[in-house]
């Protein structure tokens, strides 16, 4: 039995490695010195310090065979690998020691969850040619897995109602406002229903356009439209059940590292609607969905939808 240490059992870790049905592999949560000041910073100042969150060092005190991190890098002298969603060192593009750790003999693999992440890492490495080839030799793309969750898609064709479902924690960053405006313009909704599973707060990332008036209008539209069913939160089992009774899943997001909810929806037999940008374009095709053509802008080598007056 191989024991693999990981510093979190969050959703990203579960989807990409700790929740997979490996044989003779046991994942164990490990703790390190960076989490103490990180915890104090968050509790005392309500501030997340990225250089503390995305680094790990336990001086090999944890008794594991190797470590597998998500977005986290380490100077530890024991084998480790990292799965990443954008690039590493995470949110520290000028942290030279981080690139040295990635080049070191104890970092055995860098796994990008998408071509988008792989390309973003390559973009960062262009600035550091002394590290580029060594790190590239350790990189590969391994996308999140998804098991099939239904075999009864054909039954939906007999329904008279079209059910569309939006699932995403950050409603305003994930294109929820634009989706809601479009839905409100449908004059005859007799045979259509929209499910929304999301929080409606302003998070401060890719939602600079949002005002209190927009928030109030979102709440008003949801409250007054009988064709909309709103859930602030649902456990994953509830989300999957919702998808099994939906026809289309929509996620016109402005910023997404993968889009797990679309994978889950597809596994339940839903067609999907998303923006025509990576990573969506990597796994959504005309065969089972629609990609919305949107104007884009590039940030650190990553194409993101560009907001216009018509959005």
């Amino acid at each position: 039995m191989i024991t693999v240490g990981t510093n979190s059992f969050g959703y990203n870790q579960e989807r990409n490695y700790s929740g997979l049905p490996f044989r003779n592999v046991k994942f164990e949560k490990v703790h390190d010195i960076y989490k103490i000041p990180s915890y104090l910073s968050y509790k005392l100042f309500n501030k997340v310090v990225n250089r503390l969150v995305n680094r790990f060092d336990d001086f090999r005190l944890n008794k594991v065979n190797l470590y597998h991190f998500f977005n986290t890098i380490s100077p530890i002298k024991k084998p480790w690998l990292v799965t990443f969603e954008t690039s590493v060192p995470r949110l520290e593009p000028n942290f030279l020691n981080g690139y040295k750790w990635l080049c070191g003999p104890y970092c055995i693999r860098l796994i990008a969850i998408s071509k988008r992440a792989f390309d973003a890492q390559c973009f960062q490495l262009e600035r550091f040619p002394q590290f580029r080839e060594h790190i590239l030799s350790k990189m590969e793309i391994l996308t999140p897995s998804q098991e099939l969750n239904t075999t009864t898609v054909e039954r939906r064709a007999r329904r008279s109602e079209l059910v569309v479902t939006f699932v995403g924690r950050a409603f305003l960053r994930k294109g929820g406002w634009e989706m809601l405006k479009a839905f409100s313009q449908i004059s005859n909704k007799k045979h259509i229903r929209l499910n929304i599973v999301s929080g409606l707060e302003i998070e401060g990332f890719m939602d600079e356009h949002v005002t209190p008036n927009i928030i109030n209008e979102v709440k008003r539209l949801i409250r007054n439209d009988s064709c909309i069913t709103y859930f602030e939160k649902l456990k994953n089992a509830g989300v999957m059940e919702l998808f099994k009774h939906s026809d289309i899943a929509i996620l016109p997001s402005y910023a997404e590292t993968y889009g797990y909810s679309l994978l889950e929806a597809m596994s339940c037999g839903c067609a999907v609607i998303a923006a025509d940008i990576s990573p969506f374009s990597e796994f959504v095709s005309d065969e089972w969905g629609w990609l919305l053509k949107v104007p884009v802008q590039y940030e650190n080598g990553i194409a993101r939808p560009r907001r216009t007056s018509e959005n």
Side-chain angles (χ1 to χ4, degrees):
M1 176 69 72
I2 297 175
T3 302
V4 181
T6 187
N7 57 342
S8 175
F9 280 115
Y11 194 61
N12 285 309
Q13 289 80 0
E14 179 184 343
R15 289 305 306 269
N16 287 282
Y17 51 87
S18 67
L20 303 185
F22 293 110
R23 290 184 294 178
N24 300 319
V25 176
K26 178 180 71 173
F27 285 90
E28 183 176 296
K29 186 171 182 178
V30 291
H31 301 277
D32 73 309
I33 60 172
Y34 288 111
K35 296 305 169 285
I36 299 173
S38 175
Y39 177 80
L40 292 175
S41 173
Y42 183 75
K43 285 296 183 181
L44 295 176
F45 308 108
N46 196 31
K47 183 179 180 181
V48 175
V49 182
N50 291 312
R51 65 182 175 82
L52 300 175
V53 172
N54 299 312
R55 302 184 196 179
F56 179 92
D57 196 342
D58 67 348
F59 300 101
R60 293 185 291 173
L61 294 176
N62 291 289
K63 304 302 180 183
V64 296
N65 299 107
L66 73 155
Y67 300 86
H68 194 157
F69 305 120
F70 192 85
N71 290 337
T72 295
I73 60 176
S74 174
I76 196 168
K77 294 181 178 179
K78 182 178 273 192
W80 60 275
L81 61 157
V82 55
T83 294
F84 64 96
E85 59 183 334
T86 304
S87 62
V88 285
R90 173 75 167 173
L91 302 177
E92 295 182 280
N94 299 313
F95 180 46
L96 293 184
N97 277 339
Y99 296 102
K100 293 178 182 177
W101 298 349
L102 295 172
C103 285
Y106 296 100
C107 173
I108 58 178
R109 213 69 181 156
L110 286 80
I111 302 173
I113 69 171
S114 65
K115 184 178 182 299
R116 170 188 181 275
F118 189 96
D119 291 345
Q121 185 71 25
C122 291
F123 180 84
Q124 292 288 16
L125 292 175
E126 289 295 331
R127 301 172 54 219
F128 304 102
Q130 68 271 38
F131 303 123
R132 185 178 185 276
E133 293 305 317
H134 199 155
I135 293 176
L136 277 176
S137 70
K138 300 181 181 185
M139 288 171 53
E140 66 176 292
I141 300 171
L142 186 60
T143 59
S145 65
Q146 178 63 59
E147 63 180 352
L148 185 65
N149 281 290
T150 187
T151 57
T152 59
V153 180
E154 67 280 356
R155 296 180 184 174
R156 300 178 196 179
R158 295 195 291 269
R159 285 208 309 252
S160 60
E161 186 178 56
L162 180 71
V163 182
V164 181
T165 296
F166 173 102
V167 177
R169 183 174 59 87
F171 184 77
L172 298 154
R173 171 170 60 81
K174 294 177 183 284
W177 168 232
E178 291 81 0
M179 174 200 68
L180 197 57
K181 284 195 296 182
F183 187 77
S184 67
Q185 293 175 20
I186 299 175
S187 57
N188 184 1
K189 301 177 186 174
K190 184 177 179 181
H191 300 295
I192 187 170
R193 170 159 295 282
L194 174 64
N195 296 316
I196 296 175
V197 184
S198 184
L200 302 178
E201 66 277 2
I202 298 176
E203 293 198 329
F205 177 65
M206 296 295 290
D207 56 11
E208 297 85 357
H209 67 296
V210 179
T211 65
N213 286 339
I214 289 179
I215 296 286
N216 291 334
E217 181 64 8
V218 165
K219 292 179 178 178
R220 186 191 69 79
L221 289 172
I222 290 174
R223 182 174 59 248
N224 294 337
D225 196 325
S226 61
C227 295
I228 296 177
T229 302
Y230 172 70
F231 306 88
E232 182 178 2
K233 293 180 180 179
L234 271 183
K235 291 184 178 180
N236 187 252
V239 168
M240 300 304 287
E241 196 61 30
L242 205 59
F243 281 142
K244 289 177 183 178
H245 293 86
S246 300
D247 301 289
I248 297 172
I250 182 169
L251 192 68
S253 182
Y254 277 84
E256 204 74 47
T257 56
Y258 203 76
Y260 297 124
S261 68
L262 289 189
L263 278 187
E264 293 173 336
M266 291 165 70
S267 80
C268 293
C270 294
V272 296
I273 299 174
D276 186 17
I277 58 168
S278 184
F280 299 134
S281 56
E282 296 179 33
F283 62 91
V284 177
S285 72
D286 293 339
E287 188 178 359
W288 47 76
W290 300 271
L291 289 170
L292 306 174
K293 297 293 182 181
V294 294
V296 300
Q297 60 188 15
Y298 285 86
E299 298 176 15
N300 298 322
I302 298 174
R304 301 189 191 277
R306 173 168 52 84
R307 295 190 185 280
T308 68
S309 59
E310 288 81 24
N311 283 157

